[in-house]
Amino acid sequence: MRKYLLPEEGNFYKANLHCHTTFSDGKKTPAEVKEIYQNLGYSIVAYTDHDILIPHDELTDDGFLALHGFEMEINEPKTEGKLFTKTCHICFVGIDPENLTQPMWHRSRYLFGNAVNHRDDVRFDESQPDYERVYSPEGITEIMNKGREAGFFVTYNHPHWSREDFSNYNGYWGMHAFEIMNGSCNAAGFEDYNPRVYDDMLKNGKRLYCVGADDNHNVHFGTRRNDSGWGFTVIKAKDLEYKTITSALLAGDFYASEGPEIYELWYEDGFVHVKTSDADRININFMIRKGGTVLAPDAESVVNEAKFAIPDECGYFRITVVDKTGKHACTNAYFMDEILK
């Protein structure tokens, strides 16, 4: 029996789920960001300025959806003599368009950049005490789960730029997704294409999706270092309505990409099948020490589909598409016990 891993029906929508504007430390207004991304073929931008949940519903129209959200950073305390400090950045995207109350608010701390000028625009629960952020596995897990409980899609962002490693992210529980590629960090010279980090978390018991995002600030707009269009998430859904899109996020009906496209993905009779845009190779990885690849025959040829046998006890599998320029598209991880149930 065929089981579609990306929905059989629906439309593909290109999305940036991590964005900064002049409301915090970005260089473009929300409206300018919309124009930039529409020109790049995007239909969705989640506006996630630092520490402030400000909706931009005025930008939504028949061809564009503005999701509301915010990014929170939890910083390791500075210690005298230590060469560097770590930080954890988390994005929260509202699942319901009417949910405009920011959780974990502090009335006087944490805001920086232009965000300080928008403190009074944030809606929060005035009955709650100021929330103090704690940089520890327990503190960050609490933040992720409070975000989920408050009705947000929670993503863990750019561990390489953050200088975090396995000893940190292995202790974080509660994220919906991991940012496997981050455009702004890559544009700045960091190696924030992180498939190994994704596997680390999956193999240690986390069941989560992977997203691609820009984290755009547009500081270098007009140059090769401009950080718009480097990484994105392609969502498959029946329409561009807010809750339809966020329901697709919760269901994992998407893939992450730097450029390559995935057109079809399904499991049938012990095999996974994938159809793609022009690629140099299509790889599959498992929880177990096993992999596979379909390669283009030579430098001038391309491959557009692959079929891989799936061992019942492989744990999970995920597929990576690599084009001739070295750009990647990554599926979510699919666990066999969920596929076969």
Side-chain angles (χ1 to χ4, degrees), residues 27-102:
K27 298 301 182 183
K28 297 294 182 181
T29 67
E32 289 172 329
V33 165
K34 173 184 176 178
E35 181 180 8
I36 289 168
Y37 277 89
Q38 281 194 307
N39 288 338
L40 291 170
Y42 288 66
S43 302
I44 302 165
V45 170
Y47 288 87
T48 56
D49 275 303
H50 289 286
D51 304 302
I52 51 169
L53 174 60
I54 305 291
H56 299 288
D57 295 330
E58 73 281 358
L59 300 178
T60 294
D61 56 36
D62 289 343
F64 183 83
L65 176 63
L67 300 176
H68 62 254
F70 65 101
E71 184 178 25
M72 179 182 287
E73 56 284 333
I74 307 95
N75 298 320
E76 182 182 34
K78 294 182 178 180
T79 304
E80 186 176 354
K82 188 172 183 179
L83 184 62
F84 68 94
T85 57
K86 299 179 180 182
T87 185
C88 176
H89 285 212
I90 307 166
C91 276
F92 302 86
V93 176
I95 295 168
D96 191 304
E98 302 303 318
N99 182 9
L100 301 176
T101 300
Q102 181 165 333

Side-chain angles (χ1 to χ4, degrees), residues 87-315:
T87 185
C88 176
H89 285 212
I90 307 166
C91 276
F92 302 86
V93 176
I95 295 168
D96 191 304
E98 302 303 318
N99 182 9
L100 301 176
T101 300
Q102 181 165 333
M104 298 169 286
W105 180 250
H106 197 290
R107 292 167 177 80
S108 61
R109 295 187 62 192
Y110 302 121
L111 299 191
F112 64 93
N114 286 335
V116 299
N117 299 317
H118 296 281
R119 184 185 299 276
D120 294 339
D121 298 327
V122 174
R123 180 191 301 178
F124 64 96
D125 185 346
E126 297 188 19
S127 71
Q128 294 297 310
D130 290 337
Y131 187 83
E132 300 286 347
R133 305 173 188 181
V134 177
Y135 184 83
S136 69
E138 297 78 14
I140 289 164
T141 294
E142 179 181 274
I143 287 169
M144 289 178 171
N145 282 289
K146 280 183 174 293
R148 288 178 75 115
E149 292 162 7
F152 291 83
F153 185 80
V154 180
T155 66
Y156 169 57
N157 305 333
H158 51 59
H160 189 263
W161 180 90
S162 299
R163 287 299 182 252
E164 295 202 303
D165 55 35
F166 183 84
S167 67
N168 306 116
Y169 53 73
N170 186 48
Y172 302 160
W173 297 87
M175 67 190 85
H176 289 95
F178 162 62
E179 199 175 70
I180 198 168
M181 52 191 68
N182 180 291
S184 180
C185 294
N186 285 328
F190 291 86
E191 295 292 339
D192 263 305
Y193 169 60
N194 286 296
R196 174 63 183 271
V197 174
Y198 190 35
D199 279 319
D200 280 348
M201 291 194 285
L202 293 168
K203 288 184 292 185
N204 281 277
K206 295 177 174 61
R207 297 206 174 191
L208 66 157
Y209 306 131
C210 66
V211 298
D214 270 340
D215 189 8
N216 59 292
H217 294 73
N218 301 111
V219 174
H220 301 285
F221 188 75
T223 75
R224 288 189 67 195
R225 278 194 61 189
N226 181 48
D227 52 8
S228 289
W230 286 63
F232 49 91
T233 301
V234 180
I235 302 167
K236 195 167 189 183
K238 66 178 182 179
D239 56 46
L240 197 56
E241 295 299 316
Y242 195 109
K243 290 193 74 172
T244 307
I245 295 300
T246 55
S247 293
L249 286 176
L250 291 172
D253 294 338
F254 59 84
Y255 64 90
S257 184
E258 298 169 316
E261 297 174 279
I262 299 174
Y263 302 135
E264 294 183 65
L265 181 65
W266 74 90
Y267 175 85
E268 186 174 21
D269 299 332
F271 292 86
V272 65
H273 305 251
V274 61
K275 294 186 178 182
T276 73
S277 58
D278 290 350
D280 182 65
R281 67 190 63 197
I282 302 172
N283 299 334
I284 190 165
N285 293 100
F286 302 91
M287 178 182 286
I288 61 177
R289 191 167 56 249
K290 183 179 178 65
T293 188
V294 173
L295 284 164
D298 51 58
E300 287 71 39
S301 302
V302 297
V303 62
N304 295 100
E305 59 185 304
K307 175 183 176 182
F308 298 104
I310 307 297
D312 287 347
E313 297 188 6
C314 67

Side-chain angles (χ1 to χ4, degrees), residues 11-27:
N11 306 303
F12 286 109
Y13 298 104
K14 192 174 179 180
N16 177 21
L17 299 178
H18 186 174
C19 165
H20 299 287
T21 75
T22 51
F23 275 62
S24 61
D25 61 346
K27 298 301 182 183

Side-chain angles (χ1 to χ4, degrees), residues 320-332:
T320 304
V321 183
V322 187
D323 69 14
K324 291 293 188 181
T325 68
K327 293 182 178 180
H328 307 84
C330 302
T331 72
N332 289 312

